Coordinates of all heavy atoms in Angstrom, one line a residue:
G24 N -64.4 -243.2 7.6 CA -64.5 -244.5 7.0 C -63.9 -244.5 5.6 O -63.8 -245.5 4.9
G52 N -22.8 -248.7 -18.3 CA -23.9 -247.8 -18.2 C -25.0 -248.4 -17.2 O -25.0 -249.5 -16.8
Q82 N -45.2 -252.2 -8.0 CA -43.9 -252.3 -8.6 C -43.9 -253.6 -9.5 O -43.3 -253.6 -10.6 CB -42.8 -252.3 -7.6 CG -42.7 -251.0 -6.9 CD -41.9 -251.1 -5.6 OE1 -41.7 -252.2 -5.0 NE2 -41.4 -250.0 -5.1
A182 N -28.3 -269.5 -17.2 CA -27.1 -269.5 -16.3 C -27.4 -268.8 -15.0 O -26.9 -269.1 -13.9 CB -25.9 -268.8 -17.0
R217 N -23.4 -286.9 35.1 CA -23.6 -285.8 36.1 C -23.7 -284.4 35.5 O -23.1 -283.5 35.9 CB -22.4 -285.9 37.1 CG -22.4 -287.1 38.0 CD -21.3 -287.1 39.0 NE -20.0 -287.1 38.3 CZ -19.4 -288.2 37.9 NH1 -20.0 -289.4 38.1 NH2 -18.2 -288.2 37.3
T218 N -24.4 -284.3 34.4 CA -24.7 -283.0 33.7 C -26.2 -282.8 33.8 O -27.0 -283.8 33.7 CB -24.2 -283.0 32.3 OG1 -24.8 -284.1 31.5 CG2 -22.7 -283.1 32.2
Y226 N -36.0 -279.5 22.3 CA -37.3 -279.3 21.6 C -37.2 -278.1 20.7 O -37.8 -278.2 19.5 CB -38.4 -279.1 22.6 CG -39.0 -280.4 23.2 CD1 -39.0 -280.6 24.6 CD2 -39.4 -281.4 22.4 CE1 -39.5 -281.8 25.2 CE2 -39.9 -282.6 23.0 CZ -39.9 -282.8 24.3 OH -40.4 -283.9 24.9
R230 N -37.8 -278.3 16.6 CA -38.8 -277.5 15.9 C -38.1 -276.8 14.7 O -38.7 -276.7 13.6 CB -39.4 -276.5 16.8 CG -40.6 -275.8 16.2 CD -41.2 -274.7 17.1 NE -40.2 -273.7 17.3 CZ -40.1 -272.6 16.4 NH1 -40.9 -272.6 15.4 NH2 -39.2 -271.7 16.6
R262 N -28.7 -277.7 -18.0 CA -29.4 -278.9 -17.4 C -28.4 -279.8 -16.7 O -28.7 -280.4 -15.7 CB -30.2 -279.6 -18.4 CG -31.4 -278.8 -18.9 CD -32.5 -279.8 -19.5 NE -32.0 -280.6 -20.6 CZ -31.9 -280.2 -21.9 NH1 -32.4 -279.1 -22.2 NH2 -31.5 -281.0 -22.8
A292 N -33.5 -290.0 25.0 CA -32.4 -290.2 25.9 C -32.4 -289.2 27.1 O -32.1 -289.5 28.2 CB -31.0 -290.1 25.2
N302 N -35.1 -290.2 40.0 CA -35.1 -291.4 40.9 C -33.9 -291.3 41.9 O -34.1 -291.7 43.1 CB -34.9 -292.7 40.1 CG -36.1 -293.0 39.3 OD1 -37.2 -292.6 39.6 ND2 -36.0 -293.7 38.2
T303 N -32.8 -290.8 41.4 CA -31.7 -290.6 42.3 C -32.0 -289.6 43.4 O -31.7 -289.8 44.6 CB -30.4 -290.1 41.6 OG1 -30.1 -291.1 40.6 CG2 -29.2 -289.9 42.5
P333 N -38.4 -297.2 80.6 CA -37.0 -297.5 80.8 C -36.1 -296.3 80.8 O -36.2 -295.5 79.8 CB -36.7 -298.5 79.7 CG -38.0 -299.0 79.2 CD -39.0 -297.9 79.4
I345 N -29.8 -290.3 73.9 CA -29.1 -289.5 72.8 C -28.0 -290.4 72.1 O -27.9 -290.3 70.9 CB -28.5 -288.2 73.4 CG1 -29.6 -287.3 73.9 CG2 -27.6 -287.5 72.4 CD1 -30.5 -286.8 72.8
L355 N -27.3 -295.9 59.9 CA -28.1 -295.8 58.7 C -27.3 -295.0 57.7 O -27.4 -295.3 56.5 CB -29.4 -295.1 59.0 CG -30.4 -296.0 59.8 CD1 -31.6 -295.2 60.2 CD2 -30.8 -297.2 59.0

Side-chain angles (χ1 to χ4, degrees):
Q82 295 164 342
R217 294 181 296 276
T218 56
Y226 278 124
R230 189 186 69 83
R262 291 202 302 271
N302 290 336
T303 301
I345 293 297
L355 288 175

